[in-house]
Amino acid sequence: MDITKIIAPLNDAQRTAVTASEKSMLVLAGAGSGKTRVLVHRIVWQIQVNAVSPQSILAVTFTNKAAREMRGRIEMLLETNASAMWIGTFHGIAHRLLRRHSEQARLPKDFQVLDSNDQQRLIKRLLEDLQIDTKELPPKEIQWFINEQKDAGLRSKHLVDSDDKNAKRFLRIYREYEILCERTGVVDFAELLLRAYELLHDDEHLREQYQRRFSQIHVDEFQDTNKIQYDWLTLLSPNRDNLFVVGDDDQAIYGWRGAKIENIYNFQKHYPNHEVVKLEQNYRSTGAILKAANGIIQNNQGRMGKSLWTEMADGEKITVYAAHDEKDEAKYVVERIKLWVESGNKREQAAILYRSNAQSRQFEEQLMLAKMPYKVYGGLRFFDRAEIKNALAYLRLIANRNDDASLDRIINTPTRGIGLKTLDAIREVAHSRQFSLWDAAHFLIDEKILPNRAATALFAFLELIEKLERDTAAFELSEKVQFVIEHSGLMTFYSQDKVEKSADKIENLKELINAAAAFSFENVEEEGLSELAAFLSHAALESGESQADEFDDCVQLMTLHTAKGLEFPLVFLVGVEEGIFPSQQSIYDKAKLEEERRLCYVGITRAMQKLHITYADNRLLYGKSTAASKSRFLKELPQELLEEVRPKREVSRPVTTKTPNFLAFKVESDSRYKMGQRVHHETFGSGVIQTIEGEGAKERILIKFNRESRWLMTAYTELTVVN
DNA sequence: CTCTACGAATTTTTT
DNA sequence: ATTCGTAGAG
């Protein structure tokens, strides 16, 4: 066996982690330090050197993309297929467990997965049924609450009924929601995790079976795990030395959705026989970029402590551009990308990273003007598009008549004369008699409660679904999908030019048929589940980002969150202003502020060669022009790494005709000016020093005067210090 | 049932 | 500025 292939490409720290034995490992992997490589090599090491069976390998990630990448790289190194290993997302693995043991998990065999849109819809409908004003109590809030509870491992029965009226109401809704999901046979994302936890927790036999099976458990992005995920892991690994977790406390940016950095500390308590390995050598960025990253993150408290270093040279300084407004900012960025491309680089190597999606707009406009192709990440994903969801809803209803969420979605899409009145009546019956919407509709027709016209329309709908199922019973999956799209009326509906972007929508529907065909092809029969049901779960669990147009050479636009895990030679960190980044909502809360700072750290460490940071003095916010000021994060950066640029028209031209008097200068230069100091200038009046840059004859300072900011060369300027 | 007009909200995202 | 959802008119 050739172990050099596994070991040789690793540095000392990586090797220590990969080859460790008989203990749990906590790998603190800084940005760009080869964390995926360590995971991949570790797994291969276990198989090839320690003769661990691939069946015994469990590896969990947060995204399908990460899981795919890991599997791919393992297969490459192993030179065989890795299908015996369980490599997947927390949700994917939980789903797999629940499918295998649906009976023990007390779930219907063909349960369906509810994505968060579906969940919100369902909650909204529930609130309406309970006569709760959705204006006063937005479904979003309930959704948030329920998921928060589930992520903490709490069911409604675990919550104590308090006297607080509001808490009482939340609890009641939670309870009703559980009943509704149970009755309709659907499972939301948080439920997948909670159910999988309960399954192992409650069933000793099953638990032991999986404990025995998974002798090696690997976790990626450990800092992003929430409570239930952590508890689930510990169920699988009780006091054993087989957990290999990789994470970076400095890159924990998902606290707001329940991730607990504390899990890293819990891990250390829980698994005393563990070793910590820090991966601090960075293979991605220049020295200057890393110094900036270290400089910013050290302002956070309670870190595990890590300091990135590189063998690379410092490289270029970080360019800071103080734009006049958001348009100027965008122009600057596009101008710079132009120069980058003109000197022979690719557009796709350049990324524009912002704090919130709304900021993409200005950049898109300028990029369009410059005729430069770009791609904005984070829009609607394939399976989230309305036309796709509608088509899927038909399929889901065919698979399961009790799927209220789906029925609700398509009962009048395309319109077929079933209006609000009729729908209300159905809901009313469903609620009062604890029927599914489907059964309630039947009830209304059988009991002849509805007006003739409505009854006819409703009956036609019910018949349509029955007929679709009958007619496609013998079909293959993709044929089924095609038939349903065509005969549900959706195709005709989207063919009308009234529907906006109808061509795109039809294109997408055709793509769904392709996706179904591809799914049948790739999918190995999953334990007794119908192919349709399996495909529907796949659609819920896979957002469908995978084969997004690997189009031509595009500038990349995305939020800082989306950028995590990626790298680009040229990075623009834009909108670095107080109130934007850090965001307004985070400024007064220390924990939130530190998370923003970690986000900033993530942003900086995306850059490989060159980083630009920009901010605007004025920004159009909610339609109003607002004065802005540079972010505190900019001030926290080691100033010697920065070179600040101002819009051309605002830079006061340094006079370069005469040689400055070095001697005279030197006497004064050392301690004369400080940042934040008030000074007075003959012509411009008094102002505050914002930035000091350069030394000796080249020293210049940025002063913010009443009406404008100016760069002044201290060697030539008469300034009086004001106290 | 469909269309328009008005008011309210507006960090970040995966599964 | 823009999007999104709902109320009221057509």
Side-chain angles (χ1 to χ4, degrees):
Chain A
M1 156 204 348
D2 181 21
I3 66 164
T4 42
K5 208 170 151 193
I6 311 177
I7 296 299
L10 304 176
N11 66 31
D12 287 350
Q14 292 172 336
R15 194 169 302 158
T16 307
V18 165
T19 61
S21 58
E22 303 300 312
K23 59 186 146 196
S24 283
M25 294 298 289
L26 170 57
V27 180
L28 291 174
S33 65
K35 133 194 109 103
T36 309
R37 163 170 295 194
V38 164
L39 272 168
V40 166
H41 284 242
R42 168 67 173 185
I43 289 170
V44 173
W45 171 267
Q46 293 289 21
I47 288 173
Q48 294 201 328
V49 178
N50 291 335
V52 171
S53 156
Q55 290 222 353
S56 305
I57 300 283
L58 172 65
V60 252
T61 63
F62 275 83
T63 65
N64 290 306
K65 193 176 160 201
R68 265 194 303 272
E69 188 188 346
M70 201 189 296
R71 186 181 288 280
R73 285 173 64 171
I74 289 171
E75 286 178 344
M76 199 122 72
L77 201 59
L78 218 46
E79 291 174 352
T80 63
N81 178 291
S83 55
M85 300 177 208
W86 280 35
I87 302 174
T89 62
F90 275 100
H91 293 85
I93 304 263
H95 176 249
R96 196 162 174 180
L97 276 175
L98 295 177
R99 285 280 178 219
R100 287 202 158 188
H101 310 288
S102 53
E103 206 170 305
Q104 289 100 314
R106 298 181 320 280
L107 281 171
K109 196 151 194 57
D110 55 354
F111 74 88
Q112 275 304 312
V113 179
L114 223 51
D115 72 23
S116 65
N117 284 316
D118 298 337
Q119 185 191 27
Q120 200 180 327
R121 263 183 117 81
L122 197 65
I123 290 171
K124 189 176 175 213
R125 231 201 55 227
L126 176 64
L127 291 179
E128 284 163 2
D129 284 348
L130 295 172
Q131 316 259 307
I132 293 167
D133 185 2
T134 51
K135 274 236 192 73
E136 186 210 346
L137 194 59
K140 255 248 157 77
E141 235 168 86
I142 299 291
Q143 182 183 30
W144 187 266
F145 169 80
I146 290 175
N147 291 339
E148 195 177 26
Q149 302 309 313
K150 289 188 177 181
D151 284 345
L154 299 169
R155 295 216 172 272
S156 65
K157 65 180 180 202
H158 298 128
L159 298 173
V160 234
D161 211 345
S162 78
D163 286 336
D164 182 71
K165 218 179 138 199
N166 215 30
K168 251 191 156 70
R169 198 156 64 150
F170 272 64
L171 183 54
R172 173 167 160 248
I173 298 167
Y174 185 12
R175 205 173 280 139
E176 294 277 352
Y177 174 77
E178 283 176 327
I179 295 167
L180 182 61
C181 289
E182 199 77 33
R183 202 184 66 218
T184 57
V186 294
V187 168
D188 63 48
F189 286 137
E191 182 75 22
L192 283 171
L193 301 177
L194 181 52
R195 268 295 162 138
Y197 169 80
E198 289 171 345
L199 175 69
L200 295 181
H201 183 265
D202 299 345
D203 191 322
E204 193 182 348
H205 177 69
L206 217 52
R207 181 171 69 241
E208 284 171 357
Q209 180 191 323
Y210 280 102
Q211 285 171 351
R212 245 176 286 122
R213 169 172 182 159
F214 294 127
S215 68
Q216 302 299 327
I217 300 175
H218 309 80
V219 189
D220 189 18
E221 305 279 18
F222 188 64
Q223 77 284 349
D224 288 340
T225 49
N226 63 29
K227 178 164 192 309
I228 196 75
Q229 287 162 338
Y230 181 82
D231 290 349
W232 181 78
L233 285 170
T234 57
L235 273 184
L236 280 173
S237 171
N239 317 310
R240 287 207 289 149
D241 303 318
N242 62 343
L243 264 185
F244 190 93
V245 307
V246 178
D248 181 358
D249 55 326
D250 291 333
Q251 290 189 73
I253 55 174
Y254 287 112
W256 54 274
R257 65 177 199 209
K260 299 252 175 282
I261 317 186
E262 300 93 292
N263 283 342
I264 294 184
Y265 316 127
N266 290 337
F267 173 89
Q268 298 199 273
K269 266 187 272 167
H270 212 120
Y271 295 86
N273 182 28
H274 75 275
E275 186 180 340
V276 179
V277 176
K278 291 182 188 178
L279 305 184
E280 297 176 291
Q281 181 174 4
N282 173 294
Y283 297 95
R284 178 187 292 158
S285 311
T286 66
I289 290 164
L290 287 188
K291 283 175 191 164
N294 286 331
I296 201 96
I297 199 66
Q298 73 187 16
N299 290 287
N300 272 4
Q301 286 167 10
R303 301 171 53 220
M304 305 282 295
K306 225 177 336 77
S307 187
L308 294 176
W309 61 276
T310 178
E311 286 175 349
M312 267 186 256
D314 270 5
E316 282 182 54
K317 282 192 174 185
I318 291 154
T319 306
V320 176
Y321 181 73
H324 175 250
D325 57 19
E326 73 284 335
K327 192 171 172 189
D328 180 34
E329 180 185 45
K331 279 184 170 163
Y332 166 81
V333 170
V334 173
E335 197 52 45
R336 285 304 182 126
I337 297 176
K338 241 189 217 160
L339 292 174
W340 169 263
V341 173
E342 277 163 15
S343 46
N345 297 293
K346 296 202 143 184
R347 283 185 288 267
E348 66 192 6
Q349 295 178 326
I352 305 173
L353 310 181
Y354 34 78
R355 176 67 236 265
S356 75
N357 292 117
Q359 289 167 257
S360 75
R361 211 199 169 83
Q362 291 294 332
F363 297 95
E364 292 188 63
E365 268 171 34
Q366 293 306 320
L367 285 163
M368 242 175 315
L369 275 175
K371 301 202 193 314
M372 202 178 281
Y374 64 88
K375 174 162 191 208
V376 183
Y377 287 76
L380 268 192
R381 279 176 300 272
F382 183 72
F383 287 116
D384 282 338
R385 292 165 203 275
E387 62 275 19
I388 299 300
K389 298 220 76 170
N390 287 337
L392 290 173
Y394 276 95
L395 292 163
R396 288 171 70 139
L397 205 53
I398 287 168
N400 170 16
R401 299 287 189 283
N402 290 335
D403 190 335
D404 285 5
S406 294
L407 185 142
D408 192 53
R409 182 175 188 102
I410 50 156
I411 191 165
N412 202 31
T413 312
T415 48
R416 49 172 69 88
I418 302 173
L420 269 176
K421 268 263 170 61
T422 313
L423 201 50
D424 273 346
I426 298 172
R427 285 181 188 171
E428 170 56 34
V429 170
H431 186 237
S432 61
R433 297 183 177 253
Q434 293 291 294
F435 284 174
S436 66
L437 292 178
W438 179 268
D439 290 340
H442 264 297
F443 179 86
L444 283 172
I445 291 170
D446 293 345
E447 301 292 318
K448 303 205 178 350
I449 298 171
L450 288 174
N452 231 316
R453 211 165 108 187
T456 314
L458 184 56
F459 187 72
F461 171 72
L462 299 177
E463 263 309 298
L464 172 67
I465 300 297
E466 299 285 8
K467 189 165 163 19
L468 285 173
E469 179 175 27
R470 254 183 281 126
D471 291 352
T472 61
F475 284 16
E476 282 181 23
L477 177 61
S478 67
E479 293 172 330
K480 256 185 205 183
V481 175
Q482 175 162 17
F483 189 92
V484 168
I485 289 174
E486 279 164 12
H487 292 80
S488 60
L490 281 180
M491 204 42 126
T492 328
F493 176 63
Y494 286 119
S495 305
Q496 299 166 5
D497 26 297
K498 276 188 183 178
V499 184
E500 229 177 311
K501 300 210 177 116
S502 54
D504 283 357
K505 301 200 173 210
I506 287 171
E507 226 18 72
N508 286 334
L509 287 173
K510 287 185 178 158
E511 194 51 47
L512 181 65
I513 300 169
N514 290 336
F519 180 79
S520 310
F521 182 72
E522 286 165 18
N523 192 49
V524 206
E525 203 62 34
E526 182 89 20
E527 18 251 314
L529 192 65
S530 80
E531 206 182 15
L532 176 59
F535 178 63
L536 293 171
S537 301
H538 165 81
L541 287 166
E542 284 256 3
S543 46
E545 183 80 82
S546 50
Q547 63 273 41
D549 15 278
E550 297 289 316
F551 235 150
D552 37 14
D553 185 20
C554 289
V555 177
Q556 323 265 351
L557 279 74
M558 67 191 82
T559 64
L560 287 156
H561 284 89
T562 310
K564 189 172 152 199
L566 306 176
E567 58 181 28
F568 310 93
L570 176 65
V571 167
F572 296 85
L573 212 55
V574 303
V576 184
E577 291 142 44
E578 284 295 296
I580 302 263
F581 190 29
S583 91
Q584 193 60 44
Q585 289 94 320
S586 306
I587 284 177
Y588 302 103
D589 180 317
K590 198 178 157 214
K592 284 184 184 168
L593 188 64
E594 293 210 339
E595 184 154 311
E596 296 274 321
R597 195 175 280 114
R598 292 193 290 271
L599 193 55
C600 185
Y601 173 80
V602 167
I604 292 171
T605 52
R606 295 314 94 194
M608 301 164 79
Q609 283 176 32
K610 173 74 189 180
L611 174 64
H612 292 262
I613 300 180
T614 66
Y615 65 94
D617 292 330
N618 302 286
R619 181 174 293 273
L620 214 51
L621 216 53
Y622 306 139
K624 272 199 189 66
S625 177
T626 323
S629 60
K630 73 158 81 159
S631 166
R632 66 189 74 193
F633 296 153
L634 258 171
K635 298 175 189 166
E636 289 170 5
L637 288 172
Q639 299 299 308
E640 70 274 11
L641 299 171
L642 311 180
E643 65 181 349
E644 187 143 5
V645 184
R646 271 262 154 190
K648 283 194 188 88
R649 61 181 176 282
E650 292 204 8
V651 178
S652 68
R653 267 257 181 101
V655 187
T656 47
T657 44
K658 281 179 194 162
T659 321
N661 183 338
F662 275 96
L663 280 176
F665 184 82
K666 229 175 184 159
V667 176
E668 304 179 0
S669 70
D670 273 333
S671 58
R672 222 185 131 185
Y673 301 113
K674 280 201 302 259
M675 301 220 340
Q677 194 162 45
R678 257 203 118 62
V679 290
H680 189 269
H681 185 277
E682 280 255 313
T683 326
F684 301 116
S686 75
V688 179
I689 299 182
Q690 304 287 301
T691 308
I692 307 173
E693 206 184 62
E695 267 181 20
K698 289 181 180 161
E699 185 191 55
R700 47 181 212 152
I701 58 181
L702 178 67
I703 304 173
K704 189 165 194 157
F705 295 104
N706 251 345
R707 300 178 43 208
E708 67 193 313
S709 293
R710 267 180 189 275
W711 279 107
L712 297 168
M713 300 286 287
T714 50
Y716 303 102
T717 316
E718 283 279 338
L719 288 171
T720 336
V721 175
V722 184
N723 288 312

